[in-house]
Amino acid sequence: MARRSDHTRDELKDIILSASWDIVKKDGFAGLTARHIAKDINYAAGTIYNVFPAMDDLYLAVNGMTLDKLYAVLSSPDCTAHSAPPIQNIKKMAHLYRDFTKTYKPHWLMLFTYTLPDGKKAPEWYQAKVTRLFAPLETLLKPYYTQKPDRHRKMAARILWASVHGLCFLEETGKTPLITPQDSLSEMTGYLIDCFVAGIESK
Amino acid sequence: MARRSDHTRDELKDIILSASWDIVKKDGFAGLTARHIAKDINYAAGTIYNVFPAMDDLYLAVNGMTLDKLYAVLSSPDCTAHSAPPIQNIKKMAHLYRDFTKTYKPHWLMLFTYTLPDGKKAPEWYQAKVTRLFAPLETLLKPYYTQKPDRHRKMAARILWASVHGLCFLEETGKTPLITPQDSLSEMTGYLIDCFVAGIESK
DNA sequence: GCTGTAAATTGAACGATGTTCAAAATGGGG
DNA sequence: CCCCATTTTGAACATCGTTCAATTTACAGC
């Protein structure tokens, strides 16, 4: 039996989340059960409910970790170089997103396969993490919107983001290859960005 | 107890699927359980396993129904009018997709929240239903690709499809409004299509 | 150092879930 | 009419999220 003072409540929370992260990596979202976590961290299942009132809260917390990791990737200097042309940075960002979906596939999938029960809304902190994801792309789009309304730039960021995501999601879960060659995805995101950006400039 | 000759095996399959459809509509994917179906159709739970070897097969079958309904919508003459300019038909198709996600929200969500276990591949008939969805949009794009490679047209269809889907998906499950006004989604899909098509023409 | 109290931890229990399968019910052919 | 292949059943099994009384633990006060 685990001792009461083995870990503080915050430490315990970290331990639970860390174990959860590893379980999702190995067995996917389906393998993330209270009893499985408890066994890995040498506690009883009930203890988890002292830290997370329900498993749904834990799921959201794990998704929060994934969103943080994704934000860190999209904020990387790799795709915010001022020397490079903007469109190149945008393509780089799309590539980083695609890489993320492959490197953290189970965690990335869990972001979307877990949905809140019935009519529940996501907590404030979670929504903030989602919204934050658009910021890096909004910045990259600035050069194209010096003479255009800011609202259009925000829209463009969300559109591009959703498009790249949609392509990756269909590739991973559409249960069918999008087009014959294996890595046609980078070709498609490239084509998407080329056309969309050219469309912005021509309007 | 249900009589052995109440329904043929095929009838029973239809009855199970029909009941499943209604359950998903009312309680979402989470409510779709073998015992719930059994109660609604006045059979024992075990009977379902005579028709579907596992619940996963039933889930796929329900998703198949949803894909069929979606295909029927996207094939509607509403967005294939030869008199209208192509871009207007494309916007109409995007609008029809968006309508579908609202009208059949639980079924549409189930398409993506249910993922096959571990490394299993979707059956052939399912993949065919997915691929078929791109065809109507490929047709609408023909006017823009009379002088360009067919491969690009296929890519453009998948890109546009994934983009519109990505926007709808983020709107429904992103757990945060994309942009302040309520129905900014049609504005965003419009902007997406305008820019993307303009980009195609300018290249 | 002892004790009492508040907090942390446990593990059994409850109602679900998907799934299996022996037993029962059924109905058409000999 | 009865036999037997088919269909249907419902109890059983392992597992799930969740609850909660009982136990164990750590520490404050004497």
Side-chain angles (χ1 to χ4, degrees):
Chain A
M1 171 174 168
R3 302 282 154 107
R4 169 181 168 184
S5 60
D6 275 356
H7 309 100
T8 70
R9 203 183 185 82
D10 279 346
E11 279 176 350
L12 193 50
K13 185 171 185 174
D14 287 344
I15 290 171
I16 291 174
L17 285 179
S18 171
S20 299
W21 184 267
D22 294 341
I23 290 172
V24 172
K25 176 189 283 181
K26 197 152 69 79
D27 302 326
F29 179 37
L32 185 59
T33 70
R35 288 173 178 83
H36 191 168
I37 298 169
K39 176 177 289 184
D40 283 5
I41 66 176
N42 204 32
Y43 272 83
T47 301
I48 294 172
Y49 286 82
N50 292 340
V51 183
F52 296 98
M55 288 300 284
D56 284 292
D57 300 291
L58 188 146
Y59 301 153
L60 274 182
V62 172
N63 278 349
M65 295 173 69
T66 310
L67 292 176
D68 286 343
K69 265 208 160 59
L70 178 55
Y71 177 72
V73 167
L74 299 187
S75 307
S76 122
D78 285 2
C79 56
T80 54
H82 278 294
S83 58
I87 198 168
Q88 191 172 316
N89 279 332
I90 296 175
K91 286 186 181 177
K92 188 98 187 187
M93 188 175 283
H95 192 78
L96 287 178
Y97 183 87
R98 169 59 177 156
D99 272 353
F100 186 90
T101 69
K102 287 201 282 196
T103 306
Y104 299 100
K105 179 171 174 181
H107 307 95
W108 174 74
L109 266 182
M110 179 178 162
L111 279 179
F112 308 103
T113 52
Y114 168 68
T115 56
L116 298 166
D118 61 299
K120 269 194 180 174
K121 280 290 161 214
E124 202 67 46
W125 62 264
Y126 191 91
Q127 295 195 21
K129 282 183 194 297
V130 174
T131 306
R132 188 177 54 161
L133 287 178
F134 301 128
L137 190 49
E138 284 179 12
T139 304
L140 286 188
L141 285 171
K142 268 186 180 163
Y144 303 102
Y145 286 89
T146 54
Q147 314 276 21
K148 301 191 181 76
D150 232 40
R151 174 175 172 78
H152 283 194
R153 182 170 58 90
K154 281 179 182 284
M155 280 173 48
R158 281 151 182 76
I159 288 169
L160 270 180
W161 212 96
S163 300
V164 171
H165 164 74
L167 282 170
C168 294
F169 196 71
L170 278 186
E171 172 87 359
E172 290 292 348
T173 72
K175 295 134 183 168
T176 179
L178 278 175
I179 278 193
T180 38
Q182 195 52 22
D183 196 24
S184 63
L185 200 59
S186 63
E187 189 186 353
M188 292 178 71
T189 55
Y191 189 58
L192 156 70
I193 292 168
D194 282 336
C195 289
F196 190 73
V197 170
I200 292 173
E201 288 176 323
S202 79
K203 285 181 74 74
Chain B
M1 172 174 169
R3 301 281 155 106
R4 169 177 168 182
S5 60
D6 275 355
H7 310 100
T8 70
R9 201 182 187 81
D10 280 344
E11 280 175 351
L12 193 50
K13 184 171 186 173
D14 287 344
I15 290 171
I16 290 174
L17 285 180
S18 172
S20 299
W21 183 267
D22 294 340
I23 290 172
V24 172
K25 177 189 283 182
K26 197 152 69 76
D27 301 326
F29 179 36
L32 186 58
T33 71
R35 288 173 177 83
H36 191 168
I37 298 168
K39 177 177 289 184
D40 283 6
I41 67 176
N42 204 33
Y43 272 83
T47 301
I48 295 171
Y49 287 81
N50 293 340
V51 183
F52 295 97
M55 288 299 284
D56 284 293
D57 300 291
L58 187 145
Y59 300 152
L60 274 183
V62 172
N63 278 349
M65 294 172 72
T66 309
L67 291 176
D68 286 344
K69 266 208 159 58
L70 177 55
Y71 177 72
V73 167
L74 298 187
S75 307
S76 120
D78 284 0
C79 55
T80 54
H82 278 293
S83 59
I87 197 167
Q88 190 172 315
N89 278 332
I90 295 175
K91 286 186 182 180
K92 188 100 188 183
M93 188 174 285
H95 192 79
L96 287 179
Y97 184 86
R98 169 58 177 157
D99 272 353
F100 186 89
T101 70
K102 288 201 281 196
T103 306
Y104 299 99
K105 180 171 173 180
H107 308 94
W108 174 73
L109 266 182
M110 179 178 163
L111 279 179
F112 308 102
T113 52
Y114 168 68
T115 55
L116 299 165
D118 63 297
K120 270 194 179 173
K121 281 289 160 216
E124 202 67 47
W125 61 264
Y126 191 90
Q127 296 195 21
K129 284 184 193 295
V130 175
T131 306
R132 188 177 55 163
L133 288 177
F134 301 128
L137 190 48
E138 284 178 14
T139 304
L140 287 189
L141 285 171
K142 268 185 181 164
Y144 301 103
Y145 286 89
T146 52
Q147 313 277 21
K148 300 191 180 77
D150 233 39
R151 174 176 172 77
H152 283 195
R153 183 170 58 90
K154 281 178 183 284
M155 279 173 47
R158 280 151 182 79
I159 288 170
L160 270 179
W161 211 97
S163 300
V164 172
H165 164 74
L167 283 171
C168 294
F169 196 71
L170 278 186
E171 172 88 358
E172 290 291 349
T173 73
K175 295 134 186 168
T176 178
L178 279 175
I179 279 192
T180 38
Q182 195 53 20
D183 201 14
S184 63
L185 200 59
S186 64
E187 189 187 353
M188 292 179 70
T189 56
Y191 188 59
L192 155 72
I193 293 168
D194 282 337
C195 288
F196 190 74
V197 169
I200 292 172
E201 288 175 323
S202 78
K203 286 180 74 73

